Amino acid sequence: MNQILVTGGAGYIGSHTCVVLAEAGYGVTILDNLCNSRAEVLARLQMLCPTKLEFIKGDIRDPVLLEQVFKARQYQAVIHFAGLKAVGESTVQPLAYYENNVCGTLALLKAMQHHGPKSIVFSSSATVYGDPHAVPIKEDFPTSATNPYGRTKLMIEEILADLHRADTGWSIARLRYFNPVGAHESGLIGEDPLGVPNNLMPYVAQVAAQRRPYLNVWGNDYDTPDGTGIRDYIHVLDLAKGHLSALRYLEQHSELITLNLGTGRGYSVLEMVAEFERACGLKIPCRMGPRRKGDIAQCFADPTRSWELLNWRATRGLAQMCKDAWHWQCSEKLRNE
Ligand code: NAD
Ligand code: UDP
């Protein structure tokens, strides 16, 4: 069985990708230090996977551990999710972000260069487009960053490009995610943010579950039809399948590819709230607030290249995203009672 090393596989996107990989017949080893995920997720994740998952608790910044990991087993590829991802926190603790994301990735790549495999799928982000001059966003649009988190993604993208320039034996996919939402339909895995959620959908779900009194809508004076910000929300399982497609492409091509993973459709904050209200049958109280610093009006993908190259496209609509997010929220509540 072809074995894949999934760094950050206990986290939100990683866990869903592990399910998709296991269902497709790959062996999966998770390497995660659990700094933003919980060990109990692993048992639930195992229930969704047809084959036994392997779990290594450890840090990608630990070169001794990495050497052991790559010597112990031959991996076909690495899917690299491990990293810190909170934009606000990155502005307060930039060094932690450069250390974890950039140094961590360097340690991982060095170990891969020594022991193989020379094949990696990397979690980048639409944040690398900064404030795009137009939508939909194509992969060849200029890149920029407005915060340390985004800069770590840009730096890692550059490091990967240099690596491929130096050695074309590497197979590298830089996947730029738009806004992952939703959860596995079982309710067993999903997004479990610690503290107050920064992102819209986990916050909306917590308002619906009466954990928070209302949603602050950050800005209703943007140049969009209803004045609120527009984003490209993509079901996390569609995103996970994009990784499988990228992996399969890299099996055939030692190339550097850079792809948007989005649906190509943008929805406003108020449209998302209305859809979530339909899914849960409850009213989501909203208060209009000021614009959030650093936010942009609109961001949605042109996913054409992913379709042409990988034959991948998102298939799940907004109703499914909200239904699965709500089911996950309710399942978590029951488990915590
Ligand atoms: P997550 O925090 O749920 O998962 C990341 C996992 O990596 C966690 O389980 C964490 O414990 C682990 N981790 C972090 N640092 C580590 C280290 N040094 N060593 C080992 N494990 C470590 O985040 P997610 O939402 O699943 O995001 C996964 C990746 O996708 C991240 O790189 C993130 O920047 C990127 N991304 C996420 C989004 C999003 O909206 N969720 C959007 C674009 C890009
Ligand atoms: N948003 C909001 N209230 C919140 C969180 C987010 O109005 O509590 C808005 C935000 O201004 C943006 C959209 O929802 O227009 C998506 O925000 P999110 O943080 O989820 O994604 P990102 O802005 O990073 O793409």
Side-chain angles (χ1 to χ4, degrees):
M1 191 191 293
N2 289 333
Q3 195 75 15
I4 309 296
L5 182 71
V6 182
T7 74
Y12 174 45
I13 307 170
S15 58
H16 289 82
T17 305
C18 289
V19 175
V20 167
L21 291 173
E23 283 174 346
Y26 289 91
V28 175
T29 302
I30 294 173
L31 172 63
D32 198 306
N33 65 2
L34 302 180
C35 71
N36 198 37
S37 47
R38 295 173 215 227
E40 61 252 37
V41 169
L42 296 163
R44 279 186 261 129
L45 180 55
Q46 183 62 75
M47 288 161 71
L48 297 172
C49 294
T51 47
K52 172 109 182 60
L53 293 175
E54 289 188 14
F55 174 63
I56 302 165
K57 183 169 188 287
D59 199 297
I60 54 163
R61 290 166 294 176
D62 179 347
V64 177
L65 172 74
L66 289 176
E67 182 160 340
Q68 284 168 4
V69 168
F70 286 114
K71 272 188 175 165
R73 203 188 242 284
Q74 208 156 16
Y75 293 97
Q76 183 200 306
V78 175
I79 305 189
H80 177 32
F81 295 102
L84 302 178
K85 62 163 184 177
V87 171
E89 186 182 63
S90 79
T91 63
V92 184
Q93 298 176 35
L95 298 183
Y97 274 69
Y98 290 116
E99 159 81 22
N100 201 83
N101 295 5
V102 180
C103 299
T105 303
L106 275 179
L108 179 68
L109 291 171
K110 281 200 272 183
M112 290 171 70
Q113 189 163 46
H114 283 133
H115 304 284
K118 289 185 176 179
S119 180
I120 185 166
V121 177
F122 170 63
S123 302
S124 189
S125 166
T127 193
V128 301
Y129 294 114
D131 191 353
H133 63 275
V135 279
I137 301 170
K138 289 181 191 292
E139 288 86 351
D140 59 4
F141 276 24
T143 53
S144 66
T146 51
N147 55 68
Y149 166 71
R151 248 180 304 279
T152 66
K153 292 292 175 194
L154 268 183
M155 286 178 183
I156 297 166
E157 282 206 3
E158 298 280 342
I159 290 168
L160 291 170
D162 281 339
L163 187 59
H164 193 266
R165 261 178 229 118
D167 178 358
T168 50
W170 277 86
S171 308
I172 300 173
R174 306 185 300 186
L175 302 182
R176 294 174 176 167
Y177 311 156
F178 282 68
N179 293 56
V181 296
H184 193 272
E185 67 269 12
S186 62
L188 288 170
I189 54 171
E191 189 173 14
D192 193 10
L194 301 172
V196 183
N198 278 315
N199 294 116
L200 177 67
M201 291 309 276
Y203 204 104
V204 168
Q206 292 193 4
V207 174
Q210 296 189 325
R211 284 175 62 187
R212 308 200 180 269
Y214 56 84
L215 170 75
N216 288 298
V217 176
W218 300 132
N220 62 347
D221 58 351
Y222 285 106
D223 185 16
T224 59
D226 66 19
T228 64
I230 289 179
R231 298 287 183 277
D232 185 338
Y233 299 93
I234 175 169
H235 196 293
V236 65
L237 270 176
D238 280 328
L239 192 68
K241 289 202 166 154
H243 292 74
L244 175 63
S245 303
L247 194 67
R248 287 190 168 141
Y249 183 88
L250 295 184
E251 284 166 7
Q252 309 294 330
H253 307 83
S254 53
E255 288 177 13
L256 169 77
I257 58 171
T258 307
L259 296 171
N260 287 338
L261 294 185
T263 66
R265 274 218 55 180
Y267 291 95
S268 74
V269 174
L270 297 182
E271 284 176 311
M272 294 305 286
V273 169
E275 193 61 50
F276 205 91
E277 286 179 337
R278 271 192 285 279
C280 67
L282 297 163
K283 184 98 196 101
I284 313 282
C286 291
R287 283 198 192 166
M288 297 304 155
R291 292 183 180 193
R292 191 170 62 176
K293 201 166 156 261
D295 263 3
I296 54 177
Q298 296 201 60
C299 176
F300 56 93
D302 179 339
T304 310
R305 197 193 274 180
S306 294
W307 173 246
E308 287 171 353
L309 215 60
L310 305 184
N311 216 15
W312 170 90
R313 68 157 60 115
T315 59
R316 292 164 177 80
L318 221 50
Q320 176 104 43
M321 297 179 209
C322 293
K323 178 170 164 260
D324 292 340
W326 180 233
H327 183 216
W328 157 251
Q329 184 72 39
C330 296
S331 308
E332 270 292 87
K333 193 165 175 238
L334 280 177
R335 276 191 289 270
N336 292 330
E337 273 170 9

